[in-house]
Amino acid sequence: VSLDIDRWNLECEFNNRDHRTDLNGVDRLIVRRGQPFTVSLYLRSGLYQPGVNALDCIAETGPQPSEQYGTRASFGLSANIDTSRWSAAVTSPPGNMVALSICSAPDAPIGRYTLTLGQSARIEFILLFNPWCPGDAVYMDNEQSLAEYVLSQDGIIFRGSYKYPIPTPWNFGQFENGILDICLRILDMNPKCLKNPGKDCSGRRNPIYVSRVLSAMVNCNDDKGVLLGRWTDDYDGGVSPMFWRGSVEILRNWETQACQPVRYGQCWVFAAVACSVSRALGIPCRVVTNYLSAHDTNSNLTIERYIDENGDLIKSREMIWNYHCWVESWMTRPDLKPDFNGWQASDPTPQEKSEGVYCCGPIPLRAIKEGELIFKYDAPFVFAEVNADIITFMKKKDGSTSTVTNNTIVGQKISTKSVGSDAREDITHLYKFPEGSDEEREAFKRANHQNKLLKQQQNQGLHLTIKVTADMRKGCDFDVFAVVTNNTQSEKKCRLVFGSCALSYNGFMGANCGFKDLLNVELQPGGERRVPLRLNYSKYGDNLTEDNLIRLAALLLDYSTGEATLAVRNIVLENPEIKIRILGEPKENRKLAAELTLKNPLPEPLENCCFSIEGANLTGGHVISERLGSSVGPGEDAKVKVYFTPTHSGLRKLVVDFDSTKLCHVKGYRNVIIGK
């Protein structure tokens, strides 16, 4: 006899909390796959009697539900819940209220579902990946890691340079109001879904498929993707990528402007948005930064660079980015050999096409480390990002070229935020074996990386390095040094060209910031010379990009042998610190003030000063901005009070941005513990 259902209660508050989705709100049912949830059914007539009453259940997702595609499941009542497949069981004693426990399959497609119970009840819910469920492909067996990589709504992205990694705060905001719906819309707008929605919805059971779709949809190069990239200093029609403090505003803008791309993104913005969407859908995810990252366009694992006789780079498609960010997602790889589960790299920044689309990954970190370049997806490109060899040629005025010795090593200090703290975790060892080790040689052999195998480190006669001082702050004048050492038995006569220029983080060079050409540098055997170069704010101030980077290059020519040696070092100028004081006792739903102060470090006034703050569960999902009425003179403080009302208790990150005419997008943050 079929149950006669009058009304029902989805018990959203209990279920969402139990499934760790309550931060999305408790006004609708959001559950994770492979884990039971309970709904209360109130019968119109009769009582529920075990073994007598039946209930036909049908779960459907997508526009063309089918059992063959796994987007439709029909099941009845069983004695107990079976968490390995769609199942339902009654957990209450006989009576006119029935507590019905329902469980989805741990490999069911994620997305919006309709569940039909018998003749009269139709309920709707959203199903997400479940990293807490051992049967789910994204299962992660560590509560601290899950708190960081799925539940944490803020984080740190490392920028700057490998000698000086700069932590930048980011508000991922994956549980803010409306964000989950936008993430599901991103899946629905992907070209594969528009072409064949039934097949695409079926693919959503697989985190490999979903993360590949996201890596294509976060950029808009061949679809209605979220962000448009721009790597010049002209941000007309949009805002500088440095403007963003978090993903929420970007995702909301994309949705409100009818899925037109948001302008503009660069690598850390693409990666951060991909991380927000992955966490929202339940895939454990983190943003990583690779310093001195190679962009190899022809897959030969070498970057060929040309310089002129001043040591300046001649532009080419193959670049070394000062840093590059991508994401890693946690999942099993049943399509590969058993040992390749765990972190998978995928890169949403549009660089090269993969299977005809601008996307990259996912590829297991283990495959990169071991040089297994035939594995899916895009192993050669990511392998080159961390391992490519750099060959430098000098183009002379007469048209001839010669090789230049250069000891730049690609793929340094690969970094991500630590679990449970803001410290930098170095994860280089997950991508590569120790330099010079037998395992490294084996990996290079497997990857057919001939160049690196041939390069035996020869101790060169003339050694050249660049040294810097500790205090390199924006607004100051300071010295940098080229240090030349003669390791030969004979006296050497050389020419030293020592120059500096503004640099963007992806390797493009700007205007000159200071230059010196010494035609006669003499060195005794075993001797050393330190040659200073003064960098003055009056010269570099107007040339810097928002990245605050200066490229230092020293080129040494040995007159006796004709050999050239190049040393390059990218330096980051420090922005001033934003001091953040919280006034009042931080409690949920109580108004708080933050006092923000920044001291002008420049020898000139700052105009149009503006502080902005945002933070998950702190600022109501919005950006709060406060402008200063007057300019701020050299050495003076820019100071404002900004008010906000936290909505949830716990540890939260208040992300602060300061902007003005001469000092752009200075970032700061403060961790705030909000009480109940």
Side-chain angles (χ1 to χ4, degrees):
V1 184
S2 192
L3 287 174
D4 185 12
I5 302 166
D6 178 29
R7 55 195 174 85
W8 53 87
N9 182 342
L10 299 184
E11 311 293 355
C12 297
E13 193 163 336
F14 171 80
N15 286 319
N16 290 12
R17 192 159 290 151
D18 193 42
H19 285 245
R20 300 175 179 85
T21 62
D22 49 310
L23 278 173
N24 289 296
V26 291
D27 53 340
R28 56 179 175 166
L29 186 57
I30 304 169
V31 293
R32 298 187 185 275
R33 57 188 197 170
Q35 180 179 337
F37 59 95
T38 300
V39 297
S40 302
L41 307 177
Y42 296 91
L43 303 183
R44 186 176 286 115
S45 60
L47 301 175
Y48 165 70
Q49 297 190 315
V52 176
N53 295 113
L55 186 64
D56 293 327
C57 310
I58 299 171
E60 297 179 312
T61 184
Q64 303 151 5
S66 90
E67 309 232 337
Q68 177 204 342
Y69 272 156
T71 47
R72 180 180 195 270
S74 50
F75 50 100
L77 292 178
S78 12
N80 295 300
I81 281 289
D82 177 353
T83 55
S84 69
R85 58 181 182 83
W86 283 96
S87 61
V90 172
T91 57
S92 56
N96 62 354
M97 193 287 284
V98 177
L100 183 69
S101 188
I102 302 158
C103 189
S104 61
D107 61 350
I110 61 152
R112 295 179 193 281
Y113 273 80
T114 303
L115 178 63
T116 310
L117 303 174
Q119 300 304 306
S120 50
R122 272 174 73 87
I123 68 174
E124 291 183 349
F125 64 93
I126 293 173
L127 188 67
L128 302 178
F129 289 109
N130 191 352
W132 285 268
C133 168
D136 196 312
V138 299
Y139 175 61
M140 192 176 228
D141 183 17
N142 182 308
E143 279 299 330
Q144 281 84 14
S145 299
L146 287 160
E148 183 70 56
Y149 299 134
V150 183
L151 299 179
S152 179
Q153 292 195 80
D154 45 52
I156 298 284
I157 298 171
F158 290 92
R159 296 175 49 248
S161 73
Y162 85 99
K163 293 273 193 190
Y164 189 68
I166 294 178
T168 305
W170 192 269
N171 176 27
F172 293 115
Q174 69 271 29
F175 303 123
E176 291 285 18
N177 196 18
I179 295 300
L180 178 57
D181 299 279
I182 297 170
C183 296
L184 294 173
R185 185 155 189 208
I186 290 172
L187 297 183
D188 289 342
M189 293 307 292
N190 101 74
K192 291 183 170 129
C193 182
L194 299 175
K195 200 168 126 200
N196 185 342
K199 190 174 175 204
D200 175 78
C201 284
S202 170
R204 296 181 195 180
R205 63 176 56 213
N206 183 352
I208 303 166
Y209 178 81
V210 172
S211 57
R212 194 155 168 76
V213 163
L214 290 182
S215 122
M217 280 299 290
V218 167
N219 69 70
C220 66
N221 283 41
D222 20 39
D223 46 45
K224 283 190 165 308
V226 177
L227 278 157
L228 179 61
R230 176 67 60 94
W231 282 269
T232 59
D233 257 355
D234 162 30
Y235 300 120
D236 279 1
V239 296
S240 151
M242 290 288 289
F243 167 85
W244 308 109
R245 294 149 295 265
S247 310
V248 177
E249 205 178 347
I250 295 169
L251 289 166
R252 285 194 181 143
N253 286 2
W254 175 76
E255 196 201 31
T256 51
Q257 57 202 34
C259 306
Q260 290 301 303
V262 176
R263 300 159 187 255
Y264 292 100
Q266 286 173 3
C267 71
W268 73 94
V269 186
F270 287 114
V273 169
C275 182
S276 293
V277 179
S278 300
R279 288 182 185 182
L281 298 176
I283 302 173
C285 190
R286 62 188 185 184
V287 177
V288 304
T289 302
N290 176 38
Y291 288 98
L292 298 177
S293 190
H295 181 165
D296 175 24
T297 54
N298 59 4
S299 301
N300 65 351
L301 302 180
T302 51
I303 302 290
E304 285 153 9
R305 294 205 293 190
Y306 290 86
I307 58 170
D308 60 21
E309 290 178 282
N310 286 337
D312 286 339
L313 274 178
I314 297 165
K315 201 175 160 184
S316 91
R317 267 205 76 200
E318 299 210 313
M319 305 287 286
I320 303 296
W321 292 33
N322 190 51
Y323 62 84
H324 181 48
C325 301
W326 56 76
V327 290
E328 293 171 4
S329 311
W330 182 270
M331 65 193 71
T332 58
R333 290 300 298 263
D335 56 325
L336 303 176
K337 296 193 299 200
D339 299 339
F340 291 84
N341 298 335
W343 290 116
Q344 317 284 322
S346 58
D347 188 347
T349 299
Q351 297 182 85
E352 300 292 323
K353 286 194 167 185
S354 166
E355 296 181 342
V357 177
Y358 277 101
C359 67
C360 175
I363 179 75
L365 269 48
R366 174 111 185 236
I368 301 301
K369 184 170 181 173
E370 298 188 352
E372 297 277 12
L373 301 197
I374 51 176
F375 284 0
K376 286 183 163 163
Y377 290 86
D378 311 304
F381 186 76
V382 181
F383 183 85
E385 285 184 307
V386 299
N387 281 311
D389 203 28
I390 302 174
I391 303 175
T392 310
F393 299 98
M394 181 160 61
K395 268 198 172 143
K396 301 186 180 148
K397 288 194 183 73
D398 62 11
S400 65
T401 60
S402 61
T403 316
V404 179
T405 307
N406 176 329
N407 54 4
T408 302
I409 294 164
V410 159
Q412 303 227 31
K413 255 191 201 169
I414 305 174
S415 303
T416 191
K417 175 189 176 300
S418 295
V419 171
S421 94
D422 291 336
R424 187 183 71 84
E425 182 186 349
D426 194 303
I427 54 170
T428 312
H429 63 280
L430 297 181
Y431 283 85
K432 42 214 274 194
F433 288 105
E435 225 147 286
S437 66
D438 293 348
E439 294 94 337
E440 183 194 49
R441 283 191 73 78
E442 283 305 309
F444 287 162
K445 273 184 193 148
R446 238 178 259 125
N448 197 19
H449 197 357
Q450 299 302 339
N451 266 60
K452 276 274 178 120
L453 291 167
L454 295 172
K455 260 201 166 172
Q456 294 302 330
Q457 197 50 50
Q458 66 277 47
N459 183 17
Q460 241 211 298
L462 283 171
H463 189 249
L464 174 67
T465 57
I466 295 172
K467 299 269 189 230
V468 298
T469 48
D471 227 14
M472 297 186 291
R473 288 204 294 272
K474 193 170 180 177
C476 297
D477 302 340
F478 56 91
D479 285 323
V480 291
F481 303 90
V483 181
V484 190
T485 318
N486 178 7
N487 295 325
T488 69
Q489 304 302 308
S490 48
E491 193 179 321
K492 287 283 185 188
K493 271 195 177 162
C494 311
R495 175 184 176 189
L496 177 71
V497 183
F498 191 12
S500 63
C501 66
L503 183 73
S504 67
Y505 87 95
N506 63 328
F508 282 101
M509 290 171 28
N512 165 30
C513 298
F515 181 79
K516 187 175 262 194
D517 188 354
L518 304 179
L519 295 171
N520 194 5
V521 177
E522 293 187 356
L523 287 155
Q524 296 302 318
E528 179 181 286
R529 280 270 316 256
R530 275 173 88 87
V531 177
L533 178 67
R534 187 84 175 153
L535 296 183
N536 294 311
Y537 176 75
S538 58
K539 180 97 194 229
Y540 72 71
D542 287 337
N543 295 333
L544 281 185
T545 68
E546 294 180 333
D547 299 307
N548 278 1
L549 288 167
I550 294 177
R551 175 185 187 264
L552 307 174
L555 182 66
L556 188 70
L557 294 158
D558 181 343
Y559 287 129
S560 59
T561 63
E563 284 175 5
T565 305
L566 176 73
V568 177
R569 180 159 176 179
N570 300 336
I571 59 171
V572 196
L573 302 193
E574 268 184 86
N575 272 326
E577 182 196 356
I578 300 176
K579 293 201 160 69
I580 304 164
R581 266 180 67 206
I582 302 294
L583 310 174
E585 189 189 350
K587 285 205 162 168
E588 55 184 309
N589 302 317
R590 180 190 289 183
K591 197 171 180 182
L592 267 184
E595 183 187 74
L596 313 173
T597 315
L598 175 140
K599 190 184 192 131
N600 177 7
L602 307 184
E604 54 186 324
L606 302 177
E607 312 283 346
N608 297 337
C609 301
C610 179
F611 284 97
S612 302
I613 63 165
E614 75 172 90
N617 304 138
L618 289 177
T619 58
H622 302 289
V623 178
I624 302 170
S625 297
E626 197 68 51
R627 288 199 172 276
L628 269 75
S630 54
S631 64
V632 178
E636 288 181 0
D637 282 346
K639 188 183 252 184
V640 297
K641 260 188 207 164
V642 189
Y643 294 90
F644 60 101
T645 306
T647 51
H648 290 75
S649 60
L651 179 64
R652 306 282 172 222
K653 218 176 230 73
L654 187 70
V655 179
V656 182
D657 173 274
F658 172 84
D659 196 29
S660 67
T661 41
K662 293 285 178 182
L663 203 56
C664 299
H665 300 304
V666 179
K667 306 288 185 206
Y669 71 93
R670 168 92 187 250
N671 291 329
V672 188
I673 297 171
I674 308 295
K676 278 237 182 279

